[in-house]
Amino acid sequence: MAVFKTGGRFVLLMAVALLSPQIFADDFYVNYSTGSNETGDGSEQAPWKTLQFAFDSIEGTEANPHTIHLSAGFYDFPYSYKNGINPDGYENVTGAGIALTKIYYFRFVDIPKCQISNLETTGFGVSDCQEIVVKNCLIGHTMNSFDSSIVYENCIFYKIDDVFETVENSSITINNSILSKCNTVKDDPVPDIVVQYSLVEHGWPGTGNIAGDPQFIDADGFD
């Protein structure tokens, strides 16, 4: 509380301290069918068209992370076929579901804290990244990891010869996931990869893992 004199009058001011203010994340929207990178503003009413444009247009921080919501669609193809989508730190992506939203390829380079969820992708390349989380995703191609940490939760790995081709100086954890019609997690077990509480069709060492056919009704039809 403070008292100030101005214009012959005393003014009483009370300062209210906010302890541990709650910071809300901003949400942005991308719609392959109706969005526009030219006229959209990333809102739900005026979404952008491509995911890469969304990443390039916003800037998340540790105090104020962002979430990008993707509608159904196949995003940034065929451009991403050669270059991949390049995420930014503190900018999370959530799709409309593994049968609806598809990204060809993510390339994570030197970013912290990014979460990808509820979509299908052919895979990830990760280099010099920390705290990457992949949840509720369908993954259909071999992946590489260099000097990074990444966690996969509730994911389906489907029809991949070697789920990981190269793993160097990394921490990779697969939790509560299904590896179906995959030849192996990696050609040789390495301490950088931890698989636990997962179904690995041909077996893999780890706490709570089981082997066998997941008995999907129609995996190619996302059932």
Side-chain angles (χ1 to χ4, degrees):
M1 184 180 297
V3 178
F4 295 92
K5 185 176 182 181
T6 175
R9 298 180 179 180
F10 288 97
V11 178
L12 179 65
L13 299 179
M14 180 175 291
V16 179
L18 298 178
L19 301 178
S20 303
Q22 185 175 6
I23 299 175
F24 294 91
D26 292 326
D27 291 278
F28 296 90
Y29 295 82
V30 177
N31 190 307
Y32 178 83
S33 300
T34 64
S36 171
N37 293 342
E38 288 73 34
T39 61
D41 58 13
S43 66
E44 191 171 7
Q45 295 74 27
W48 290 312
K49 185 176 183 63
T50 64
L51 176 56
Q52 189 61 65
F53 187 87
F55 278 128
D56 296 340
S57 299
I58 63 179
E59 184 175 354
T61 65
E62 185 173 12
N64 186 27
H66 299 317
T67 298
I68 302 171
H69 300 267
L70 298 179
S71 70
F74 196 164
Y75 285 86
D76 295 291
F77 186 85
Y79 176 79
S80 60
Y81 183 86
K82 296 180 180 179
N83 298 290
I85 299 295
N86 297 285
D88 290 327
Y90 308 109
E91 295 175 12
N92 304 316
V93 177
T94 183
I98 63 172
L100 299 173
T101 304
K102 184 171 183 178
I103 304 294
Y104 180 78
Y105 185 75
F106 283 101
R107 179 177 283 110
F108 296 87
V109 180
D110 192 23
I111 63 172
K113 289 191 177 180
C114 180
Q115 179 173 296
I116 307 296
S117 62
N118 302 322
L119 53 82
E120 177 189 356
T121 178
T122 54
F124 300 84
V126 184
S127 177
D128 299 301
C129 296
Q130 300 302 317
E131 298 186 60
I132 306 300
V133 177
V134 183
K135 295 182 68 174
N136 305 322
C137 286
L138 172 63
I139 302 166
H141 198 273
T142 189
M143 292 171 286
N144 299 284
S145 179
F146 303 89
D147 305 300
S148 298
S149 65
I150 183 167
V151 175
Y152 299 87
E153 295 183 358
N154 309 326
C155 289
I156 298 174
F157 303 83
Y158 187 59
K159 286 186 176 179
I160 309 173
D161 287 337
D162 296 322
V163 174
F164 296 97
E165 181 179 19
T166 304
V167 176
E168 295 182 2
N169 301 319
S170 295
S171 172
I172 296 174
T173 303
I174 299 176
N175 290 324
N176 196 40
S177 296
I178 294 174
L179 289 81
S180 175
K181 299 188 183 303
C182 299
N183 181 41
T184 184
V185 177
K186 195 177 182 302
D187 51 2
D188 293 307
V190 294
D192 289 348
I193 301 176
V194 175
V195 183
Q196 54 191 9
Y197 305 106
S198 296
L199 187 156
V200 185
E201 190 162 353
H202 300 296
W204 190 262
T207 302
N209 291 336
I210 59 175
D213 184 350
Q215 300 183 19
F216 294 129
I217 294 175
D218 178 12
D220 292 333
F222 301 102
D223 190 348

